[in-house]
Amino acid sequence: MIKQPHILLIYTGGTIGMVKDIDTGALKAFDFNSLLTKIPELRLLDCSIETISFEEPIDSSNMCPKYWGDIATIIGDNYLDFDGFVVLHGSDTMSYTASALSFMLENLAKPVILTGSQLPIGDLRTDAKENLITSIQMASLQIEGKPVIREVGLYFEYKLYRGNRTTKINAEHFEAFESLNYPHLAESGVHLKVNKEHLWKPKPNKKLILRTRMDTHIGVLKLFPGISRPICEAILTSKLIKGLIIETYGSGNATTEAWFVKLLADAITNGLHIVNVTQCAGGRVNMGQYETSSQLKLIGVISGSDITTEAAIAKLMYLLGENIPRNNFKTIFETSLRGEMS
Ligand code: ASP
């Protein structure tokens, strides 16, 4: 007899877990222990579900590496007992968490699906039920007793994406996420359609390793016309910073002003890891394509290729946390570790 998939639902907070108080009309946290009573549809799913909740659910604006570590640890502690994991999370920083978890869960070979909603689960027009139910179905998909999804995914509004490829692009639409540089992994229509060729294939028979050390001595500098020298200087000469993402124009271009290039070159000589990520939502960094990026290549700026800023932040924290030696850092950053870049 084929065993029903066993799914662990991890509730961290966010809009999805809210219901309206009938008396006051105010939104309040939903008691996840009574999930099955409140959403009877879950009983129709062909899987068994257990739930675990953050003691104090949070708005995802308060998400941080400590909580990422808590989620990764819950998954690690329960890894052998469950076939899949669904993480309920506020949508605002869900792409950051999905990216961070992808690095923290080395050799992951089971589904970890993040989802949330734009409207609370208790709202009449909520998107929460579909997102929750289909995420559980995605996490339950198996072929010959083996999970189909073996990576960190993000499910929202009928699409499953690779989590570390996503960005929240809309604060109001139900279709709140995009993955412009990588095709979606699955789609929910009348049937669940999985794009098998795009799924992550983990190395076989490797043990899950938790990598929860994240070094937060990093920064993001978004370039804009008129960016001032003293402000760049303050950031690039700070003794606190170990890694910096520069969000450049187009295919990785920046001003060719001599002071700017020299500041970057000196910072790199002094040990700062500088990563070039484009401000464009889609496309990739290609240093050397234009004169305005040739210098960056020459001085040793790391190419972020088509990585999102969210994934670059998580990857930088992760590699710094792992104390990757300086001479390997650029090569490792420029290598796709969890399918986060092409
Ligand atoms: N502010 C909420 C959060 O990210 C929004 C949401 O849940 O979608 O926690």
Side-chain angles (χ1 to χ4, degrees):
M1 201 181 88
I2 294 170
K3 197 172 112 299
Q4 265 196 335
H6 197 33
I7 305 298
L8 183 61
L9 202 56
I10 305 166
Y11 176 54
T12 67
T15 304
I16 190 164
M18 304 269 161
V19 279
K20 221 174 231 163
D21 186 299
I22 306 168
D23 300 325
T24 64
L27 289 175
K28 57 174 196 188
F30 175 90
D31 173 15
F32 256 77
N33 297 320
S34 56
L35 186 72
L36 286 172
T37 353
K38 293 270 176 47
I39 314 175
E41 294 93 325
L42 292 176
R43 289 186 198 284
L44 302 175
L45 292 173
D46 196 13
C47 62
S48 55
I49 303 169
E50 277 187 44
T51 60
I52 185 167
S53 172
F54 270 19
E55 226 157 85
E56 287 196 19
I58 56 161
D59 184 292
S60 79
S61 303
N62 286 321
M63 193 41 79
C64 61
K66 146 93 177 72
Y67 292 135
W68 292 339
D70 291 348
I71 302 169
T73 305
I74 293 175
I75 293 170
D77 288 349
N78 292 282
Y79 195 66
L80 298 178
D81 298 329
F82 288 86
D83 300 296
F85 303 85
V86 174
V87 181
L88 301 181
H89 193 289
S91 63
D92 288 347
T93 63
M94 199 187 296
S95 294
Y96 293 88
T97 300
S99 300
L101 289 178
S102 74
F103 295 111
M104 286 184 164
L105 302 167
E106 187 172 325
N107 300 326
L108 178 73
K110 293 187 179 182
V112 172
I113 314 282
L114 281 91
T115 196
S117 66
Q118 294 283 50
L119 286 175
I121 209 153
D123 195 287
L124 213 51
R125 294 174 47 250
T126 190
D127 52 333
K129 281 192 185 178
E130 199 285 321
N131 285 347
L132 173 60
I133 289 169
T134 311
S135 294
I136 296 173
Q137 284 187 321
M138 294 279 182
S140 305
L141 286 178
Q142 295 192 341
I143 290 182
E144 291 169 4
K146 300 237 156 51
V148 172
I149 316 286
R150 295 175 295 166
E151 59 183 296
V152 178
L154 186 155
Y155 182 81
F156 223 88
E157 193 63 4
Y158 303 110
K159 289 210 180 92
L160 177 72
Y161 307 96
R162 172 162 302 156
N164 58 27
R165 289 293 195 146
T166 61
T167 299
K168 184 170 179 183
I169 46 121
N170 202 300
E172 286 170 18
H173 292 174
F174 285 144
E175 209 170 327
F177 289 87
E178 249 311 347
S179 162
L180 282 168
N181 286 333
Y182 198 75
H184 55 265
L185 305 179
E187 197 166 353
S188 159
V190 174
H191 303 286
L192 296 186
K193 188 172 166 289
V194 179
N195 296 324
K196 289 210 183 76
E197 68 279 19
H198 299 308
L199 298 177
W200 179 251
K201 291 166 199 70
K203 291 195 197 102
N205 307 323
K206 290 263 188 176
K207 242 184 109 191
L208 180 77
I209 303 173
L210 293 193
R211 305 273 184 202
T212 53
R213 272 194 313 261
M214 294 298 231
D215 189 333
T216 55
H217 291 88
I218 69 160
V220 180
L221 178 63
K222 181 168 183 155
L223 303 191
F224 54 91
I227 193 163
S228 90
R229 182 174 179 166
I231 291 174
C232 289
E233 217 164 69
I235 296 169
L236 282 148
T237 58
S238 163
K239 294 270 172 293
L240 291 175
I241 198 162
K242 297 183 192 166
L244 180 71
I245 291 158
I246 48 169
E247 274 200 0
T248 55
Y249 311 124
S251 56
N253 307 316
T255 172
T256 49
E257 293 245 34
W259 64 264
F260 180 75
V261 180
K262 182 162 183 333
L263 267 180
L264 295 187
D266 288 350
I268 293 171
T269 308
N270 290 332
L272 183 68
H273 303 291
I274 301 183
V275 184
N276 187 347
V277 174
T278 174
Q279 305 182 356
C280 295
R284 60 186 286 261
V285 163
N286 182 6
M287 286 189 284
Q289 184 184 358
Y290 288 90
E291 201 191 341
T292 42
S293 65
S294 302
Q295 302 251 46
L296 304 183
K297 188 173 180 175
L298 282 177
I299 62 173
V301 169
I302 298 169
S303 172
S305 183
D306 59 355
I307 200 169
T308 60
T309 299
E310 291 87 334
I313 288 172
K315 190 170 184 176
L316 205 46
M317 286 187 189
Y318 159 65
L319 293 181
L320 288 170
E322 288 297 310
N323 281 318
I324 301 296
R326 219 183 128 191
N327 51 345
N328 286 346
F329 200 94
K330 184 172 187 293
T331 313
I332 296 183
F333 197 104
E334 289 179 347
T335 306
S336 171
L337 303 176
R338 311 280 195 268
E340 74 283 1
M341 57 206 270
S342 307

